[in-house]
Amino acid sequence: MRTTRVTVAALAAVAALTLTACGGEPVKPDAVTQITGQSKAGTATVLDRPFDKPELVLTDTTGKPWNLREQTKGKPTLIYFGYTNCPDVCPLTMSNIAVAKKALPKADQDKLQVVFVTTDPERDTPDSLGAWLKAQDPSFTGLTGDFATIQAAARKLGIGIEAAKKEADGSVVSMHGAQVIAFSPKTDEGYLLYGEGSTVDDYTKDLPKIIKGENP
């Protein structure tokens, strides 16, 4: 399969654009880790320098502390930063992953960890986040907590997010990157990046290999 080099500048531009995914004016990412990799024929970018899994302890939907590194160690994991009041890209992204996951054999479904980290912790309480994710897939893990902690973790993964703010019409918008990062069960490193345009078919095709820690 032919691959094409993706430059740091190109991926930085993509990150900036995806910050507008849930509405509002464009926001320039600040202090976001730079990314290089190879773009496959689909939508996955295989990263030249995989991400270390961030040290992140937040609160899950049951109200208990949840340690990202410890509780996903050795497991194929997808991580996405978004918020439950997002009108478009967040529910679509999680729905696409949920549908693709159901196409996996049951044993592989049980292995896959899908982690949704809110970018709007003030409104996304454990209860509200849990109810929203249950409608997507009850097995998905939802995390909330201190915004500064969440933002720092996202930036280490090349994802820019900004604090939620009220617009002129009274709506509250949380600006965030729309990338999904896949972590390998072999290395516990984030080695694949999916953009906003990734479809159910993309995830359905790639998840069997992600389960094994292979490139799609």
Side-chain angles (χ1 to χ4, degrees):
M1 183 179 294
R2 192 179 73 174
T3 62
T4 55
R5 178 65 57 185
V6 178
T7 66
V8 171
L11 278 167
V14 170
L17 288 173
T18 55
L19 278 170
T20 67
C22 290
E25 295 300 317
V27 176
K28 183 178 180 181
D30 180 33
V32 175
T33 300
Q34 298 294 295
I35 306 168
T36 58
Q38 294 181 340
S39 180
K40 296 291 186 180
T43 59
T45 296
V46 181
L47 301 176
D48 286 338
R49 290 185 294 175
F51 292 115
D52 289 331
K53 196 172 287 180
E55 295 266 11
L56 185 62
V57 179
L58 294 171
T59 302
D60 68 13
T61 55
T62 68
K64 296 178 181 178
W66 205 88
N67 187 307
L68 178 65
R69 280 192 174 181
E70 289 183 4
Q71 293 180 251
T72 62
K73 186 176 182 180
K75 299 177 181 179
T77 303
L78 302 181
I79 295 178
Y80 181 78
F81 292 79
Y83 69 117
T84 65
N85 286 283
C86 176
D88 39 44
V89 67
C90 298
L92 178 60
T93 298
M94 299 311 289
S95 175
N96 286 345
I97 294 172
V99 171
K101 180 189 168 189
K102 290 177 182 176
L104 291 168
K106 182 63 168 61
D108 286 346
Q109 290 187 42
D110 292 341
K111 293 176 185 177
L112 183 66
Q113 294 275 299
V114 180
V115 181
F116 181 94
V117 184
T118 182
T119 60
D120 184 13
E122 186 172 335
R123 290 188 295 169
D124 284 343
T125 64
D127 285 345
S128 63
L129 184 54
W132 187 82
L133 284 174
K134 186 176 181 180
Q136 301 284 349
D137 187 312
S139 74
F140 287 178
T141 297
L143 300 178
T144 187
D146 176 66
F147 176 79
T149 301
I150 293 169
Q151 185 181 52
R155 285 176 170 174
K156 289 180 180 178
L157 298 175
I159 298 171
I161 67 173
E162 298 296 334
K165 65 178 183 179
K166 184 173 287 189
E167 300 289 280
D169 62 1
S171 63
V172 179
V173 175
S174 176
M175 309 295 286
H176 63 89
Q179 302 95 320
V180 173
I181 307 291
F183 286 80
S184 167
K186 294 180 179 178
T187 64
D188 279 321
E189 293 180 323
Y191 74 115
L192 294 176
L193 180 148
Y194 291 86
E196 180 181 345
S198 300
T199 66
V200 171
D201 290 342
D202 293 322
Y203 289 115
T204 300
K205 175 177 66 69
D206 292 356
L207 282 182
K209 293 191 175 181
I210 291 173
I211 295 294
K212 300 175 182 177
E214 299 174 353
N215 291 349

